[in-house]
Amino acid sequence: MRCKIGTSLLDKLDKLMLAAGMERINFQNAFVAIKIHFGEPGNLAFLRPNFAKTVADRVKKLGGMPFLTDANTLYVGRRNNALLHMDAAYENGFTPFSTGCHVVIADGLKGADEVEVPIEGGVHLKTAKIGRAIMDADVFISLNHFKGHELTGFGGAIKNIGMGSGSRAGKMIMHNNGKPRVAHDKCVGCRTCARYCNQDAITFNEEKKASINHELCVGCGRCIATCNFDAIDTPWSGSSDDVNIRMVEYAKAVLDGRPNFHISVVNHVSPNCDCHGENDAAIIPDIGIFASFDPVALDKACIDAVNAAPVIPGSVLGDRFGKQSEGKDEPACGCASHAGRAGHAAHAGHPGRHDHFRVVHPGTNWRSQIEHAEALGLGSGNYELVTIK
């Protein structure tokens, strides 16, 4: 992340993309989806729009037609329909004037504009519901902010591609096997959801509150997309491994059959997802920018770099380590040498041999992302790290 006088970080990003071979892709007259997270308003850890402009400018120089894209969210917030999502993107600086390209919300107005895509070799899923605009693109570029995540362990290229490209119904399938629920305190009994349910799974009680029969429900997500009162959502009950595996299979569906390239910016490494309307302090110092044709190698290189970095005192990670060294918490780092309190006191002596994100979120297992991605043929966790100065 360091820059000599006269050379900006954006210059270095452009140099990195070329050094990593991005120009080998035929961009001529191609629609190019630059998949990014626009950041939930209130969060300040998301990538600056300047990074997106640099990527878009390079794509245009190579003859492509870029657009910035993301799919709508499941949860209630500022990005769960296309109008709010675009407002949030513009508020956070992602406008055509600042980035040089347009914003297209991949799954449409209500999150229901999707394409059902086969997953070659899928173990848990056979098809994926992907935002139509992403599947319509000729070339796919992932540009992501590398950070922690409370369910998947970390959010990198795989999560940006798989979870980020899924329609609202697709996100529901990844999170909870596609079984939505109704919050009765928000339901107004308008019956719109029932009109869009092809399985007759939605009924109403005497108070005109909807309920969903999970034996009939197939998890299409149409009820979520059509409810204007945010009364239907999905319980976040999937295990870390289960979500990671489904997310990997969605990423495979997105990437198969077309050129793709991936960039991860490892700065302001916050402990949680940029979907939060706030962000905690960074847990490690800024590291740099990584690029690869292989999203699995990219994620593994980034996680290794994060785990080799020193902990920032006063961050949630620093606080956890402080408690562990005092013997107040059980070991959560996964180091073979850390069998007890004495081992934890040695953290400062070897900052590269523990699992930072596992300490922050002990219930997660990011390794299942890498392992399943390798098994599915999405890429390899083995990599050669080439430093571009």
Side-chain angles (χ1 to χ4, degrees), residues 22-43:
M22 193 176 87
E23 61 184 339
R24 298 204 300 266
I25 297 174
N26 181 10
F27 285 101
Q28 197 63 41
N29 297 322
F31 288 102
V32 182
I34 302 175
K35 172 64 183 70
I36 194 168
H37 192 305
F38 297 117
E40 190 71 20
N43 187 298

Side-chain angles (χ1 to χ4, degrees), residues 76 182-189 209 227-233:
V76 177
V182 179
H184 282 177
D185 59 326
K186 295 182 179 180
C187 178
V188 300
K209 304 294 185 180
C227 181
N228 291 323
F229 302 94
D230 297 319
I232 306 177
D233 66 2

Side-chain angles (χ1 to χ4, degrees), residues 33-37 69-73 85 105-108 111 113-115 117 128-135 140-142 157-171 174 247 249-255 258 262:
I34 302 175
K35 172 64 183 70
I36 194 168
H37 192 305
T69 190
D70 196 6
N72 290 307
T73 63
H85 205 155
I105 304 305
D107 57 343
D113 188 12
E114 63 195 15
V115 178
V117 184
K129 296 178 180 181
I130 308 298
R132 185 176 299 275
I134 285 175
M135 295 311 301
F140 182 92
I141 295 177
S142 171
I158 293 173
K159 185 174 186 298
N160 186 45
I161 301 162
M163 186 65 71
S165 298
S167 66
R168 296 190 83 192
K171 287 181 172 68
M174 284 183 276
M247 188 172 69
E249 297 192 354
Y250 261 60
K252 183 76 158 51
V254 170
L255 299 182
R258 58 178 164 174
H262 314 282

Side-chain angles (χ1 to χ4, degrees), residues 134-379:
I134 285 175
M135 295 311 301
D136 281 347
D138 303 303
V139 179
F140 182 92
I141 295 177
S142 171
L143 174 61
N144 79 89
H145 171 226
F146 196 85
K147 68 280 182 186
H149 193 276
E150 53 274 29
L151 184 57
T152 61
F154 71 81
I158 293 173
K159 185 174 186 298
N160 186 45
I161 301 162
M163 186 65 71
S165 298
S167 66
R168 296 190 83 192
K171 287 181 172 68
M172 181 170 58
I173 289 170
M174 284 183 276
H175 276 293
N176 194 56
N177 199 21
K179 302 297 182 182
R181 63 183 179 184
V182 179
H184 282 177
D185 59 326
K186 295 182 179 180
C187 178
V188 300
C190 68
R191 296 180 178 264
T192 302
C193 56
R195 290 200 297 272
Y196 283 88
C197 180
N198 290 327
Q199 312 303 320
D200 294 324
I202 301 177
T203 58
F204 294 82
N205 62 19
E206 294 179 355
E207 298 177 349
K208 299 182 179 180
K209 304 294 185 180
S211 293
I212 299 172
N213 184 333
H214 285 179
E215 292 184 1
L216 297 176
C217 174
V218 297
C220 71
R222 289 293 185 270
C223 56
I224 294 178
T226 58
C227 181
N228 291 323
F229 302 94
D230 297 319
I232 306 177
D233 66 2
T234 179
W236 309 97
S237 60
S239 71
S240 179
D241 286 341
D242 187 59
V243 173
N244 279 336
I245 287 169
R246 293 169 185 271
M247 188 172 69
V248 166
E249 297 192 354
Y250 261 60
K252 183 76 158 51
V254 170
L255 299 182
D256 271 355
R258 58 178 164 174
N260 54 86
F261 187 78
H262 314 282
I263 306 161
S264 289
V265 182
V266 190
N267 75 332
H268 202 115
V269 181
S270 49
N272 297 316
C273 182
D274 293 342
C275 291
H276 285 255
E278 79 292 322
N279 58 277
D280 202 352
I283 60 175
I284 61 162
D286 292 348
I287 294 177
I289 308 174
F290 296 68
S292 178
F293 284 101
D294 185 332
V296 185
L298 182 67
D299 274 354
K300 188 58 166 60
C302 290
I303 193 70
D304 288 347
V306 167
N307 282 338
V311 176
I312 294 180
S315 68
V316 63
L317 182 60
D319 290 347
R320 293 280 175 86
F321 279 153
K323 290 180 180 179
Q324 288 171 352
S325 65
E326 295 170 5
K328 294 181 180 180
D329 284 348
E330 290 297 317
C333 63
C335 289
S337 62
H338 289 181
R341 296 181 184 178
H344 275 282
H347 264 297
H350 57 277
R353 283 169 47 198
H354 52 262
D355 190 334
H356 288 336
F357 290 136
R358 190 68 181 271
V359 173
V360 175
H361 300 296
T364 64
N365 177 28
W366 59 261
R367 289 176 176 81
S368 57
Q369 285 188 54
I370 304 299
E371 292 166 359
H372 192 59
E374 288 183 314
L376 206 60
L378 187 60

